[in-house]
Amino acid sequence: MRRYFQRQLRKKGYIIIEDERFFKGEAILTWGVGHLVELCLPGYYKKEWKRWSLASLPIRPEKIEFQVPRSKQEQFQIVKQWLKKASEIVIATDPDREGENIARLIIDKAAVKRSVPIKRLWINSQENDVVREGFKNLQPGEKYVSLYEEAKARQIGDWLVGMNASPLYSLLLQEQGVHDTFSVGRVQTPTLYLIYLRQREIENFKPEPYFEITADVTAKNGTFKAKYKERLKTKQEVLALYEKHGIERENEGSIAVLNKKDKQLPSPVLHSLATLQATANRKWKYSPSKVLKVMQSLYEKKLLSYPRTESNHITTAEFSYLKSKLSAYMNAVGVNFEPAFLQPRKRYVDNQKVQEHYAIIPTKTIPTEKRLASLRTEEQNIYKEVVLTTLAMFAPLYKFEETNVEVDLCGLRLHAKGKVDREKGWKALLSPRQKQEEPSLPVMEVGERVDTVMKTVADETKPPSLYTEGQLIPLMKSAGKHVEDEENTAILDEVTGIGTGATRASIIETLKSRTYITVSKKPSQRY
């Protein structure tokens, strides 16, 4: 904490701070060690709830109680004594629902008088100036009480589901001869069910044979491949089609349709935790939990903004400082371009769409070449991905010409599609993360004669792929699509699916640790 305050003296379990810029007299900084306060176990309420039995269900206490674990009593007593003496309390835990919940559970358990005012330090970066500005502009505590109530409701909901559904399912299965213990959770079980649905879809899949008609087309200025749009089910259908149009293996045809259209695309949206997790899994096969750990490390090193965000937008304030440091960011990641957009655009900058946290972006602290090289490989990868995605917001649009061609062979139409890059724009920064480009086509004219060599390719339909870890995060966010009840679908859509940005990665890890799912790392992590 020396980087933030003028004078401080460390004691066991707390720090004495003197800094007249923020506090009148002494201030005490103290902390929790993980969760100092947790929910009581069922046996706390009734003796018969200590052991699993169908007769004791449902477990539903009249009032939910919290306790301090024995291993954390010492630190809790230190925190409690200072809370009891406080004339004002500043909550400075992580700026999210869970951080609010951790702090207020401690305050409640310490039985602090309601008359003691509570302020909130709410910052999205650990940079010196951001922290100091945050202390100068502390928010009223009541502004964030709803986050505490929401997190507490989730916590209690998880407890009630787990403490009732886990013994219920385990005991019922034991009656069927399955002697094992099964964990059921409010988020983990729906996630497991979605994975199961895909697995069942794959297992029940019955491949169907089909035939595709393609052709190697030679025009005056080059060659390209064209394709008949429909799939045919049998070889007989292929032969019948060939006979109808008088098609041989080698044919002469013409360019019947040639549509060219100039198009342009903006860069991808700024990263939320979910999009970063999906991208990192696709590019480097990092698990969602690993991405979160790396992000947390870069956040604590003051290089990236707060990781647990659901937002893809920033405010005009963040845009302003990013704009002022464009050259420095370019130098840090070794790129250079002429900025095309120096004014905010709604796709990226929207004050109304930023609530608790803005998108993941680089902070004002720009690492030297030496410091960047000292980061672990995964930290370098994640840092550069975030910086390049942010820089792409300022880069020129990607411009290209899209061409659609129809080749006529005695009335049989074959189709080809291609594109020609006009200006790479932001794609020059992010091309490794983009899908494979459509092929370029030679210059042609309508009515031009072409030669074709026909090919008939036999294949069969393929089952859907198993999920990757990167795909599970957006799957959890879009869980409402897999629910038949319209009211529940609407609720899930409103709350952005199941789990939160802070918990989805840990849910996947829980499913892995309990061997409810297995991971294959070849060719990529899949379920």
Side-chain angles (χ1 to χ4, degrees):
M1 299 302 292
R2 284 191 175 89
R3 61 186 182 273
Y4 301 134
F5 302 113
Q6 292 174 343
R7 293 173 299 280
Q8 60 190 46
L9 178 62
R10 191 177 186 95
K11 298 285 188 177
K12 186 176 181 179
Y14 66 96
I15 298 173
I16 301 172
I17 295 170
E18 291 184 25
D19 196 325
E20 61 275 5
R21 295 174 300 173
F22 313 116
F23 313 112
K24 295 179 180 179
E26 288 185 347
I28 302 298
L29 172 66
T30 188
W31 50 84
V33 182
H35 291 251
L36 285 186
V37 179
E38 61 183 27
L39 286 159
C40 294
L41 293 174
Y44 169 86
Y45 301 98
K46 293 181 180 180
K47 288 183 179 180
E48 57 266 33
W49 284 352
K50 284 187 176 182
R51 296 178 60 84
W52 283 7
S53 71
L54 292 174
S56 66
L57 298 178
I59 295 172
R60 192 168 57 193
E62 291 184 9
K63 182 182 178 183
I64 298 294
E65 299 287 352
F66 292 83
Q67 64 182 6
V68 179
R70 185 176 301 174
S71 62
K72 298 178 180 178
Q73 278 287 347
E74 183 179 13
Q75 181 61 23
F76 175 76
Q77 293 302 325
I78 292 172
V79 176
K80 179 180 178 179
Q81 71 164 332
W82 288 114
L83 287 174
K84 288 284 195 179
K85 296 176 181 178
S87 57
E88 179 181 84
I89 297 171
V90 177
I91 295 176
T93 48
D94 278 352
D96 56 19
R97 293 172 180 81
E98 192 57 30
E100 198 71 20
N101 189 35
I102 288 171
R104 289 188 177 271
L105 283 177
I106 294 172
I107 292 171
D108 287 351
K109 191 64 178 175
V112 176
K113 293 181 180 178
R114 294 187 178 275
S115 58
V116 178
I118 296 177
K119 298 289 182 66
R120 188 51 156 111
L121 174 71
W122 193 271
I123 52 176
N124 284 291
S125 168
Q126 293 198 6
E127 292 176 288
N128 293 17
D129 61 335
V130 175
V131 173
R132 289 166 183 157
E133 190 64 25
F135 271 104
K136 288 180 181 177
N137 297 281
L138 293 172
Q139 301 296 305
E142 58 268 20
K143 181 178 177 180
Y144 302 96
V145 171
S146 61
L147 294 181
Y148 163 57
E149 297 293 350
E150 181 182 340
K152 188 177 177 181
R154 286 174 181 266
Q155 185 181 18
I156 294 173
D158 287 340
W159 189 91
L160 289 170
V161 170
M163 294 302 172
N164 285 281
S166 295
L168 176 64
Y169 275 77
S170 297
L171 293 169
L172 289 176
L173 285 170
Q174 286 173 18
E175 290 182 352
Q176 302 298 319
V178 182
H179 296 285
D180 207 340
T181 299
F182 295 91
S183 170
V184 178
R186 182 182 58 86
V187 178
Q188 74 167 40
T189 303
T191 303
L192 181 61
Y193 179 66
L194 292 175
I195 298 170
Y196 162 74
L197 288 179
R198 174 57 64 90
Q199 181 70 35
R200 189 174 66 176
E201 188 179 355
I202 294 170
E203 291 172 352
N204 294 336
F205 182 84
K206 295 181 179 180
E208 296 182 359
Y210 67 88
F211 293 84
E212 283 189 335
I213 297 173
T214 65
D216 292 329
V217 183
T218 302
K220 182 171 62 176
N221 293 311
T223 62
F224 62 95
K225 291 186 180 296
K227 184 178 179 181
Y228 184 58
K229 279 191 172 181
E230 295 180 26
R231 287 179 172 179
L232 303 176
K233 294 183 178 180
T234 65
K235 185 70 171 179
Q236 288 70 29
E237 289 183 10
V238 175
L239 295 174
L241 186 68
Y242 279 7
E243 184 177 350
K244 176 183 176 181
H245 293 279
I247 302 297
E248 303 290 340
R249 182 176 182 275
E250 297 183 8
N251 308 270
E252 186 179 274
S254 63
I255 303 300
V257 175
L258 185 63
N259 287 328
K260 294 184 177 181
K261 189 177 291 185
D262 289 327
K263 291 190 174 183
Q264 57 186 27
L265 292 174
S267 68
V269 296
L270 299 172
H271 276 308
S272 65
L273 178 59
T275 62
L276 184 58
Q277 287 169 322
T279 298
N281 182 256
R282 185 172 64 250
K283 292 181 71 171
W284 304 293
K285 305 300 180 285
Y286 296 164
S287 69
S289 61
K290 182 171 185 175
V291 175
L292 182 53
K293 288 177 183 176
V294 173
M295 268 297 307
Q296 183 68 28
S297 173
L298 292 170
Y299 170 65
E300 292 173 359
K301 290 176 180 177
K302 309 180 189 178
L303 296 178
L304 294 182
S305 60
Y306 189 69
R308 296 172 181 83
T309 176
E310 303 268 12
S311 179
N312 299 108
H313 293 83
I314 57 175
T315 71
T316 51
E318 288 78 53
F319 183 85
S320 179
Y321 88 68
L322 291 170
K323 173 182 170 182
S324 71
K325 295 179 176 291
L326 275 180
S327 296
Y329 292 128
M330 290 187 207
N331 290 335
V333 293
V335 299
N336 186 46
F337 63 89
E338 188 64 34
F341 298 98
L342 294 175
Q343 297 302 319
R345 287 177 289 164
K346 285 285 187 179
R347 178 176 173 81
Y348 315 97
V349 186
D350 192 334
N351 293 11
Q352 300 303 313
K353 291 185 178 180
V354 177
Q355 297 178 0
E356 297 169 28
H357 307 289
Y358 49 76
I360 297 173
I361 56 174
T363 63
K364 300 172 188 175
T365 299
I366 301 172
T368 61
E369 183 178 348
K370 182 178 180 181
R371 187 183 182 195
L372 192 58
S374 70
L375 298 177
R376 300 193 308 275
T377 299
E378 56 267 30
E379 290 178 322
Q380 291 183 36
N381 288 339
I382 294 295
Y383 180 74
K384 289 178 180 178
E385 170 65 28
V386 171
V387 174
L388 289 172
T389 301
T390 304
L391 287 175
M393 171 177 61
F394 297 93
L397 297 172
Y398 166 52
K399 297 181 180 180
F400 61 97
E401 179 187 80
E402 184 178 83
T403 305
N404 287 282
V405 181
E406 289 186 26
V407 179
D408 182 79
L409 299 178
C410 301
L412 181 70
R413 293 295 179 96
L414 304 179
H415 298 260
K417 186 177 180 180
K419 64 168 61 174
V420 177
D421 289 345
R422 297 304 187 196
E423 293 181 34
K424 291 290 286 186
W426 58 265
K427 276 221 169 188
L429 304 175
L430 297 178
S431 55
R433 116 180 190 196
Q434 303 306 311
K435 294 180 180 178
Q436 184 176 357
E437 298 292 348
E438 294 171 353
S440 297
L441 296 173
V443 176
M444 293 173 279
E445 295 179 354
V446 174
E448 179 181 334
R449 306 304 294 178
V450 295
D451 295 321
T452 63
V453 178
M454 307 300 292
K455 293 181 180 179
T456 303
V457 180
D459 206 341
E460 62 181 20
T461 55
K462 303 292 191 298
S465 300
L466 293 164
Y467 289 121
T468 66
E469 282 192 275
Q471 291 168 337
L472 286 181
I473 297 294
L475 178 70
M476 295 167 77
K477 292 187 69 174
S478 62
K481 296 178 181 178
H482 304 272
V483 177
E484 294 181 2
D485 184 275
E486 292 184 3
E487 184 177 352
N488 288 333
T489 297
I491 292 171
L492 286 170
D493 289 344
E494 183 180 350
V495 299
T496 324
I498 54 177
T500 66
T503 61
R504 291 183 183 115
S506 64
I507 291 297
I508 295 172
E509 290 301 311
T510 297
L511 291 172
K512 288 160 63 176
S513 67
R514 290 172 177 164
T515 64
Y516 290 168
I517 59 176
T518 56
V519 182
S520 172
K521 295 185 178 180
K522 295 180 180 180
S524 61
Q525 292 180 318
R526 291 181 177 271
Y527 297 89

